[in-house]
Amino acid sequence: MKRVNLLASTLALTVAPSMATAAPVIFAGNGHSYQVVSGPQDWIAAEAAAEVLGGYLATITSAEENAFVASLLPTSGTNIRGWLGGSDAQTEGTWQWVVGPEAGQTFYIKGGSSQPGYSNWSAIGGEPNSGGGDEDYAEMFGSADLESGRSTWNDLAEAGTPDILSIVEFNAPAAAVPEPASWAMMIVGVGLIGAGLRDRQRRAVLRYV
């Protein structure tokens, strides 16, 4: 089923290519650049697309970085949200950054008396709470109508929600997202990376079974 979902997400790119909401912007705190793009709804496909662009779904390690990233999300509208690079798919309740230079680093343990890293979970609803079932991936809220509001985090199922955005981080200044015509040439790359991500997660889970 997941292979079908990945294929559907990949094919969707040819019909509705990812588009940037703005050009990449550099955060002085770490020298990285960030860009918000629309694209695959599924987390795995969204990360694969980010990697094809030369980046990864954002890994946020400070309040300053969090505020900066939140400022890049659209400022009008409702149900605005964007994928982050965090997951507890490997061990339920233990949240790690699973992409980028922080891959493998634990930043939050559900119920822990102290936390190993920065997080900004929404206090309303006690996020992360797996309220919708198996919610293993992190997202940032971008509009006030969502629980604790803009810049707070939530856990979400891999399938995502309609119109969810991707917050892409680059380790260096980045060029803008390619024009729509260029995406057709990137489809195979997205599919291969997405398949690799799924296989990597499957092997990681097996090690802990």
Side-chain angles (χ1 to χ4, degrees), residues 34 43 47 56-63 65-66 69 82-90 94-109 116-121 136-140 151 153-154 167 169 197 200-201 204:
Y34 301 77
W43 187 95
E47 171 57 22
Y56 47 90
L57 294 177
T59 59
I60 298 177
T61 59
S62 70
E65 183 183 10
N66 193 69
V69 168
W83 282 127
L84 298 174
S87 174
D88 72 340
Q90 182 170 292
T94 298
W95 285 83
Q96 296 183 324
W97 298 119
V98 293
V99 298
E102 289 82 21
Q105 293 183 14
T106 299
F107 64 89
Y108 180 81
I109 300 173
Y118 173 79
S119 62
N120 193 40
W121 298 106
D136 292 335
Y137 298 89
E139 64 166 343
M140 176 184 285
S151 87
W153 303 359
N154 176 52
I167 305 169
E169 180 174 354
L197 284 166
R200 188 166 68 199
Q201 286 198 334

Side-chain angles (χ1 to χ4, degrees), residues 4 13 23 26 66 68-69 76 78 96 107-108 112-113 122 127 131-132 149 167 184 189 195:
V4 174
L13 288 172
I26 297 175
N66 193 69
F68 175 83
V69 168
S76 62
T78 58
Q96 296 183 324
F107 64 89
Y108 180 81
S113 57
S122 171
E127 305 296 352
I167 305 169

Side-chain angles (χ1 to χ4, degrees), residues 124-192:
I124 297 178
E127 305 296 352
N129 64 6
S130 292
D134 190 18
E135 298 182 329
D136 292 335
Y137 298 89
E139 64 166 343
M140 176 184 285
F141 288 146
S143 51
D145 63 301
L146 297 169
E147 295 192 8
S148 296
R150 192 175 180 87
S151 87
T152 59
W153 303 359
N154 176 52
D155 57 335
L156 191 64
E158 180 193 317
T161 62
D163 302 321
I164 191 170
L165 301 168
S166 292
I167 305 169
V168 182
E169 180 174 354
F170 305 88
N171 289 339
V177 164
E179 291 298 315
S182 302
W183 278 95
M185 296 163 36
M186 299 167 67
I187 297 303
V188 173
V190 171
L192 290 174

